[in-house]
Each structure stands twice: as structure tokens, then as C-alpha cells.
Amino acid sequence: MTIRVLLVDDQPLLRTGFRLILEAEPDITVVGQAGDGKAAMEQTRALLPDVVLMDIRMPGIDGIEATRRIVREAAPSAHVPKVLVLTTFDLDEYIVEALRSGASGFLLKDVPPDELVQAIRVVAAGDAIVAPSVTRRLLDRFAARLPSAYEQAAPARLDRLTERELEVLRLIAKGMSNAEIAAKLVVSETTVKTHVGNVLTKLGLRDRVQAVVLAYETGLITPGALS
């Protein structure tokens, strides 16, 4: 199946570079381009891309707000585009906010071409491209400064989980892979995958990245907690 990608960046040269990279792949096609958040939302509605490659800093509606609106508008429909944010290290706080807004992950703008292609495939398949350990490091740095969208509602949401599922969520939030969780809990990796799936379903989350964010916002994990 061909992955339909929408490129969103206010720099035409970057869009052209990304397009050349992506259209060299047999399973990826660039269906459109946009130079700001408003155009990104319009193009998303019209073209129904599978993945939106979204810059953060753009004139008018920025990438964070565009991501929030795209995810919110698509939620009731059968087709929900995945948003992959483009950024630089000096925008860490915006990365966290983008994840909270519904992005499935982020990449640096100078990402090697093969990593860009692989990231799009991973996100299109429904997974998150941000390693939970990287997300946790960002949250360690910025969680205390960012308001929580779940401050009132989130603790009640955790009541839906069993004790084992809660334990698995803690380990996900600490950046552990399924194999590492399986080793720690002395269970099979298949069992861990089942628990992870249950956690995401019960909490209404799309992927592990959102699970990490929620773990912080509920206080299940606190900034700097390593054990």
C-alpha cells in the first residue's frame, strides 16, 4: 500500500528536498505541500494524507496548533492522519506540546534520508517514532513548566487499569522496550504486548509516546525519576 504524505514547511527548499527523498521510494508518494498551518489543515481535509510531515515554526497558525486541529477534526472519522513533527533541538518545549497535541512523534530537520523514510513508514503503520526514553528526557526537562491538559481528569482514567497494567505503564514511561519489560516482570514478550495494547485501549491513547506523556501528567512518573 502506498503511503500518502503531505509536506508542511514554510521553506520551499526544504519541502523540495524532502519531496525528492520521499518520491524515490516505491511505497511513498507526496500528495501535496503547504507553507503554513492554515494551508496544512485545508490540504489535509482535501487530500486525506496518511502522514503529515509538519514543521513547528511557521507564519500564522503554527505547527502545534495545526496538529491539534488536524487530530481533533479527524478523530470522529475513519481516516486519521498521523502527524510527524519536524524540529530542532532548541525547540524541546515545543516538542512536548506537539506530542500533547496529538503528534505521533518528531524528527530533526537534518535527519538522514534513510531515517526520514523509515520514520514515515513506522508512523504510517500506527506506531510512534519517538523513543520513549527520548520523550522521557524531554519531559524531565519541561514537564514542570508546561500546564497539564489532564490535571483534573487523568487520575480517574488510571483507575481503569489493573495493577499489572499500571506497572507496565510505569515501565513504558521509563523508556523500556517490550523485551526489557518482559525480562523485568519475568513474563513473555507476547504477554507484555497484550498488556501494552490493553493500556492504550483503556486510556484512549494512540501510541507509547502518548502513554509516556500521560504517565507524567498524572504523576505516575515524575521528572527525574529513574527507578
Side-chain angles (χ1 to χ4, degrees), residues 5-6 13 24 38 51 66-67 80 84 96 115 129 135 137 150 154 157 171 183 185 189 206:
V5 177
L6 173 65
L13 277 177
K38 183 176 183 292
V51 177
T67 296
V80 182
L84 189 56
V96 178
E115 291 185 21
I129 196 58
T135 307
R137 187 183 71 245
Y150 300 109
R157 296 173 74 188
L171 298 178
L185 300 182
E189 195 168 341
R206 280 183 303 279

Side-chain angles (χ1 to χ4, degrees), residues 14 18-19 26 29 31 39 43 53-54 60 103 107 113-114 135 141 155 157 167 189 197-198 212 219 221-222:
L14 276 178
F18 287 137
R19 182 168 199 143
T29 184
V31 296
Q43 293 272 48
L53 201 59
M54 179 78 75
L107 291 174
D114 58 333
T135 307
R141 183 174 175 186
R157 296 173 74 188
E167 187 175 13
E189 195 168 341
N198 290 341
V212 176
I221 293 292
T222 57

